[in-house]
Amino acid sequence: LRPTMDTNAENYINDQNVETNWVMLAVKHAETYDKLRAAIKDTSKLSLTKIDDSIYTHFRKEFPDFNVTEVDEEAMKTEAGKAKWRAFCNAYENVLKEFNTGTLIRVKESEPFGETNSFLGVRMQFYAIEIARIREASK
């Protein structure tokens, strides 16, 4: 079951079942990604989407100074941060199917997902940050 959201925010009602499903899907995605990273010896070869190159280029154009080594969740969630991320993510609305699915994002690159090393974001933020981590770790 994939939770869906009405595009009109006024019609959205906080439904505990939807929120629970989002969290369950986000945790499952995080577990799968951690297993994938652990199974691949050379993560510089890891590809998350068919368009990793363009995501990375777009991300670094829009967020040239974004620290992917240790993500500043608070800066991402300011009004200005949310507006900038919203514009970035929405550019992929008709490109990637689950661009706005709730997803856990690791704070520290050097640590696996965990209670103190993750927060809830959207899949496009996850892709941008993790693709940058993969690309920049190999430099």
Side-chain angles (χ1 to χ4, degrees):
L1 177 67
R2 293 232 181 258
T4 58
M5 289 182 65
D6 189 315
T7 55
N8 184 346
E10 293 175 7
N11 294 334
Y12 183 70
I13 299 169
N14 284 340
D15 180 334
Q16 189 62 38
N17 292 329
V18 170
E19 290 177 12
T20 300
N21 284 340
W22 267 35
V23 170
M24 287 172 42
L25 288 170
V27 168
K28 183 173 176 67
H29 178 262
E31 289 171 346
T32 302
Y33 185 65
D34 268 348
K35 287 178 187 174
L36 178 64
R37 285 181 335 119
I40 296 175
K41 293 182 196 263
D42 182 4
T43 56
S44 69
K45 307 261 190 267
L46 183 61
S47 179
L48 302 181
T49 74
K50 293 179 180 180
I51 59 168
D52 283 11
D53 290 339
S54 50
I55 291 171
Y56 178 72
T57 301
H58 182 203
F59 172 65
R60 280 303 177 205
K61 178 182 174 201
E62 297 299 322
F63 301 93
D65 300 321
F66 191 94
N67 181 359
V68 296
T69 304
E70 187 164 345
V71 174
D72 183 350
E73 176 186 4
E74 297 307 314
M76 288 178 69
K77 294 188 176 182
T78 64
E79 287 304 313
K82 287 192 276 188
K84 194 167 185 177
W85 274 107
R86 186 177 308 109
F88 176 84
C89 294
N90 285 342
Y92 297 90
E93 182 174 9
N94 296 314
V95 179
L96 293 171
K97 185 177 178 186
E98 296 181 338
F99 79 103
N100 67 346
T101 299
T103 304
L104 292 178
I105 297 172
R106 291 184 302 144
V107 175
K108 294 180 182 174
E109 177 181 21
S110 61
E111 297 178 16
F113 288 97
E115 198 171 315
T116 61
N117 194 48
S118 58
F119 62 94
L120 191 62
V122 295
R123 186 71 51 97
M124 206 55 235
Q125 291 170 316
F126 167 84
Y127 284 147
I129 293 166
E130 290 298 332
I131 290 167
R133 285 172 169 169
I134 292 165
R135 300 289 169 89
E136 294 168 14
S138 62
K139 287 185 179 178

